[in-house]
Amino acid sequence: MTVIIAFLANILVAVAKTVAAALTSSASMVAEAAHSWADAGNEVFLLIADRHSAKPKDERHPLGYGRSAFVWSLIAAFGIFTAGAIVSVMHGIQELGSAEPVEDPVIAYVVLGIAFVFEGSSFLQAFVKSRRLAHQRGSSTWDFVLDTSDTTLRAVFFEDAAALIGLGLAGGSILAHQLTGEAVWDAAGSILVGILLGIVAVMLIRRNVAFLIGTTVSVGVRARAGLALLSDPEIERVTYLHLEYVGPNRLFVVAEVDLAGDAQEHDVAVRLRDLERQIESQEIVETAVLSLSVADEPSLEFDAGSGIR
């Protein structure tokens, strides 16, 4: 729903900005129009990411299709960089030597104001969701958005935040041009919007690449997983724990555990299988693999407040 709201908002805003850019001849408005069209196109990729990553695992994909969300989100981030950042910067540079004044700046201000309302509503929805989830995990909203495996939520959050800042830059640039009569201010606004989009795109690209090649979970997630394992009466010790994101909010869990008692090999195998199925019943777990600890392996200790010690 977050992505759909952002997509509809971007389409409406992109049309309005395009019309305003044509009527005002403003370089900043052209940059803003390119920004919104890039965002709208990117939301399509994010919708594909959500749909494809939700497919259930099968024989060819035993860990599911979750990582495809990172792939499609990576493509969307490249879209921001190429269709938004590069176009805006190049257009601004081309307009630096132009003496053409911005026509009917009131039109630009009205469209920017309307765009701020739409973009603000979309950002508020993403912010509220992020803050709620961050509170549940005992994290700040900023840290949660940066670290979350929900790549579509992060993309919408930062794209909408960049859109609001970009609107301010565009409006300020047009105002400076109107007050000074210097067209360079309007061109500079286009360049600044492009630089802003480039920064956001690079950040999103880096985060998606990190999840694609494998990134560690936070100490809090690791601690909660370890404590959850130890809370089971069947498990006395945990000597190894590997947690890897294989999709948005989907984990691959590998652990070595020491089971209570001294049962025979067949009974131990059955107990391990049952424990794996029990762990996999958790919504966040895609696949769990358990094996037995060796007696001389040190136990891992977990603390809910400080993670692993």
Side-chain angles (χ1 to χ4, degrees):
M1 182 59 69
T2 302
V3 179
I4 295 176
I5 291 175
F7 173 72
L8 294 176
N10 280 320
I11 287 292
L12 293 174
V13 169
V15 172
K17 287 179 180 177
T18 301
V19 173
L23 293 176
T24 63
S25 301
S26 167
S28 294
M29 287 306 300
V30 171
E32 279 297 303
H35 179 183
S36 292
W37 283 116
D39 281 354
N42 293 339
E43 306 304 339
V44 175
F45 289 123
L46 296 180
L47 288 169
I48 295 174
D50 281 346
R51 181 182 180 87
H52 201 264
S53 64
K55 294 172 61 176
K57 58 187 177 182
D58 51 37
E59 292 183 359
R60 297 188 62 184
H61 299 85
L63 296 180
Y65 291 80
R67 282 195 178 98
S68 64
F70 305 135
V71 174
W72 286 105
S73 296
L74 181 63
I75 295 173
F78 274 111
I80 297 175
F81 189 80
T82 55
I86 294 178
V87 169
S88 298
V89 171
M90 290 183 62
H91 182 71
I93 293 174
Q94 291 172 354
E95 294 296 318
L96 280 175
S98 174
E100 183 178 356
V102 174
E103 301 175 5
D104 297 322
V106 174
I107 295 177
Y109 295 141
V110 170
V111 170
L112 291 173
I114 294 173
F116 193 90
V117 173
F118 279 105
E119 298 284 9
S121 299
S122 178
F123 175 75
L124 181 62
Q125 202 265 353
F127 178 81
V128 170
K129 181 178 180 179
S130 299
R131 185 174 63 177
R132 172 172 54 82
L133 294 174
H135 179 73
Q136 293 174 0
R137 290 160 173 75
S139 171
S140 69
T141 303
W142 178 258
D143 288 339
F144 168 78
V145 175
L146 283 177
D147 296 336
T148 181
S149 61
D150 190 341
T151 183
T152 55
L153 176 61
R154 177 170 48 250
V156 170
F157 184 97
F158 280 107
E159 285 178 14
D160 287 345
L164 293 175
I165 297 173
L167 291 170
L169 291 173
S173 299
I174 295 173
L175 178 62
H177 171 49
Q178 186 180 8
L179 294 176
T180 64
E182 297 291 336
V184 67
W185 288 108
D186 185 38
S190 179
I191 295 173
L192 290 175
V193 169
I195 292 173
L196 172 67
L197 293 178
I199 293 172
V200 171
V202 170
M203 186 275 296
L204 292 176
I205 289 170
R206 292 185 62 184
R207 293 307 297 151
N208 283 297
V209 168
F211 280 101
L212 279 171
I213 64 178
T215 185
T216 58
V217 300
S218 67
V219 291
V221 171
R222 184 178 175 86
R224 287 193 293 272
L227 292 171
L229 288 171
L230 290 173
S231 68
D232 193 298
E234 292 272 2
I235 299 176
E236 291 188 341
R237 296 190 308 134
V238 177
T239 60
Y240 175 81
L241 179 60
H242 172 78
L243 301 170
E244 180 180 348
Y245 284 110
V246 293
N249 301 315
R250 302 295 290 176
L251 286 172
F252 175 42
V253 180
V254 180
E256 292 181 2
V257 299
D258 187 9
L259 297 180
D262 191 19
Q264 295 182 353
E265 180 179 351
H266 175 269
D267 293 334
V268 169
V270 172
R271 290 167 66 186
L272 284 176
R273 183 193 62 190
D274 291 342
L275 283 171
E276 289 172 348
R277 300 298 178 268
Q278 179 181 329
I279 295 171
E280 290 174 353
S281 67
Q282 303 297 315
E283 184 178 0
I284 195 173
V285 178
E286 183 70 46
T287 302
V289 177
L290 301 181
S291 60
L292 293 177
S293 301
V294 178
D296 61 356
E297 291 179 332
S299 301
L300 299 179
E301 296 183 7
F302 303 94
D303 181 80
S306 59
I308 185 171
R309 295 200 302 265

